[in-house]
Every structure is written in C-alpha cells, then in structure tokens.
Amino acid sequence: MGYSRKEEIAKLRRERKEAKAAKKRKENIREKLVRFLIVCEGTKTEPHYFEALINNYISAVREVTIEGEGRATVALVDRTQEIKTELERKNAMSFDRVWVVFDKDDFDDFNDAIKKAHKLGFQSAWTNEAFELWYYLHFEYLDTGIGRADYIKKLEEVFRKNMGDNSFKYKKGNPDIYSLLQHYGREDLAKRFAQQLRGLYTGTDYAAHKPCTMVDKLVEELEYPRLLLEKK
C-alpha cells in the first residue's frame, strides 16, 4: 500500500526536521572542545608517543597541548601548575583535563607527586618503574618488577621476534615507536594487561605497586574524548 500525497509531505517534513536537528547536534558538539594539557617527565619519549597517537586519532572535539619538561615527580607537578596558569591566562581559556606523565625510577617522592597532583585536580599517568612497561604490555603480560635496562632488553627481544629483524635496537625518543607498536603489537592487550596489573595492588603506597601503569587511562581519554563530553 503506497503513501498518500498528504502522508508523503508529512514524511518529508519529518525527515527534514530530523536532519536539521541532527545537524544542529553535530554543530553543538563541534563548538565544545575537551582541552587537554599533558606535561611529561621526558622531553622526547612520552611526547613523541602521545603526539603520534593524537595524529592517528583525528578528533574535532579534542585539543591537546603537550609539554616535555625533563623534570620528575613533585617538581614536574609544580611545573605543570605553572604551565597551566601561564597558558590559561595567555589564551583566555581553561583546560578540561590536565595530566602529568612520569615514572618511578629512583625518586623517593613518587607517592607525594601522585598525591599532590590529585590535590590540584590533575590526573597522573604514572608508571612504576619505566614508561617502557606500557610498550612491553603491547606484546606480553609482565607482573615481575624489573629495572629500566631490563625493559629495554625485553622490548628489543619482542620487537625482533615480531619484526623478524634481529638487528632492531630500541632507542628512547624514537618518533616512530607509536607506529611500530600499532603495527607489531596490540594496544587492546596493553590496556587489558595494564588493568590486570592494577588489580594486583591495594592501598596508596604506589611506590610499592611494581610493575604498574596508568598510561592506558590517558590513552583512552585521548582516543575517545566524546565520552568526556557526554559526562559534562
């Protein structure tokens, strides 16, 4: 049974109205940005990784500022507060999410840095012991606490195995590391393994949570900023 002329006109008007409403919703979303400030302990390793991730996940509702400071733990948190204040005043805007990215290494103010960041309203993408743990989790689960040099050795082993290239050398600050991880590793595994590691620990003595990482939480927010808009 076909539509009458009156029904066809009503259907056309309804479709136009729905299309107009959908366009308006899309425009409204574009007007809202989730502004991130990410301040990293390293000047190359972490910034290069997050810059590549952002370029890979194009988003109309995300704006990211990344700073590599060459400072660690509490000093990094203090500098983050300074950068936030400077940029917000200079650009007459405010950041929605502020993240500090740092490792445990040999610093004894690791817990203090996490506590201070939380007090200031910042998120901490910390790793105990080294950022390379996040890279390694793209290949295999690891719940044994090891040092930075051992992470690099293990990374070289898994890359060589998956690349079929025994000459591969891991270099800190390699701008291609993100693409290599995407090609030869599995980010979904890294996220699952990171969550699994966190489940091994309780309490707030994060210096004792080894190995452990929070990097996956920042990665999730950068990849899916619309989820943050929905929470607003």
Side-chain angles (χ1 to χ4, degrees):
M1 181 176 179
Y3 286 109
S4 68
R5 179 60 177 167
K6 186 175 181 180
E7 289 173 328
E8 288 177 354
I9 292 174
K11 181 174 180 289
L12 182 59
R13 286 176 175 171
R14 185 170 60 253
E15 289 175 347
R16 287 177 178 173
K17 184 177 181 181
E18 291 173 352
K20 186 176 181 180
K23 181 180 179 182
K24 184 63 176 176
R25 286 195 299 272
K26 190 174 182 180
E27 289 173 349
N28 288 339
I29 288 176
R30 285 178 176 171
E31 290 172 358
K32 296 178 181 177
L33 283 174
V34 179
R35 291 188 172 91
F36 287 84
L37 172 61
I38 303 172
V39 182
C40 305
E41 170 188 356
T43 58
K44 292 182 179 180
T45 300
E46 299 94 336
H48 283 168
Y49 173 83
F50 289 115
E51 286 165 1
L53 182 153
I54 291 164
N55 289 334
N56 190 56
Y57 280 83
I58 303 299
S59 173
V61 298
R62 180 198 59 210
E63 184 176 276
V64 185
T65 300
I66 301 175
E67 300 280 348
E69 279 298 305
R71 310 185 193 196
T73 49
V74 170
L76 182 70
V77 176
D78 290 338
R79 179 56 185 151
T80 299
Q81 177 64 21
E82 293 174 358
I83 293 172
K84 177 179 181 292
T85 300
E86 292 167 2
L87 291 179
E88 289 184 337
R89 183 185 298 118
K90 177 182 177 181
N91 300 314
M93 59 76 177
S94 60
F95 288 104
D96 299 294
R97 303 290 282 175
V98 179
W99 283 84
V100 285
V101 183
F102 56 91
D103 297 344
K104 167 65 173 67
D105 290 335
D106 298 321
F107 300 105
D108 57 10
D109 59 349
F110 185 68
N111 288 343
D112 292 335
I114 297 171
K115 185 185 299 183
K116 187 165 190 177
H118 179 74
K119 185 176 180 180
L120 291 170
F122 303 161
Q123 305 296 314
S124 301
W126 56 264
T127 302
N128 189 353
E129 173 167 336
F131 193 77
E132 281 77 10
L133 168 62
W134 169 245
Y135 294 167
Y136 187 75
L137 295 179
H138 282 67
F139 301 95
E140 297 178 3
Y141 180 67
L142 177 68
D143 59 7
T144 302
I146 59 178
R148 182 182 297 276
D150 293 316
Y151 279 118
I152 292 175
K153 181 180 178 181
K154 293 179 78 66
L155 268 177
E156 288 184 343
E157 290 175 352
V158 292
F159 266 119
R160 288 173 181 177
K161 177 182 176 181
N162 285 274
M163 296 171 70
D165 179 7
N166 290 328
S167 66
F168 175 82
K169 291 284 187 180
Y170 172 76
K171 296 180 181 179
K172 288 188 68 64
N174 182 352
D176 298 322
I177 191 65
Y178 177 80
S179 61
L180 289 173
L181 289 169
Q182 293 298 305
H183 186 74
Y184 295 106
R186 286 179 54 186
E187 188 180 279
D188 63 315
L189 276 185
K191 291 175 179 177
R192 178 154 58 86
F193 289 157
Q195 293 173 11
Q196 191 172 337
L197 283 176
R198 288 197 294 274
L200 299 176
Y201 310 103
T202 58
T204 57
D205 182 11
Y206 303 110
H209 297 189
K210 181 179 179 180
C212 194
T213 184
M214 301 287 284
V215 173
D216 59 303
K217 290 183 173 293
L218 173 53
V219 170
E220 283 281 343
E221 287 196 1
L222 291 173
E223 291 176 350
Y224 306 107
R226 287 178 183 274
L227 296 179
L228 295 177
L229 283 177
E230 292 174 2
K231 293 177 182 178
K232 287 186 176 182

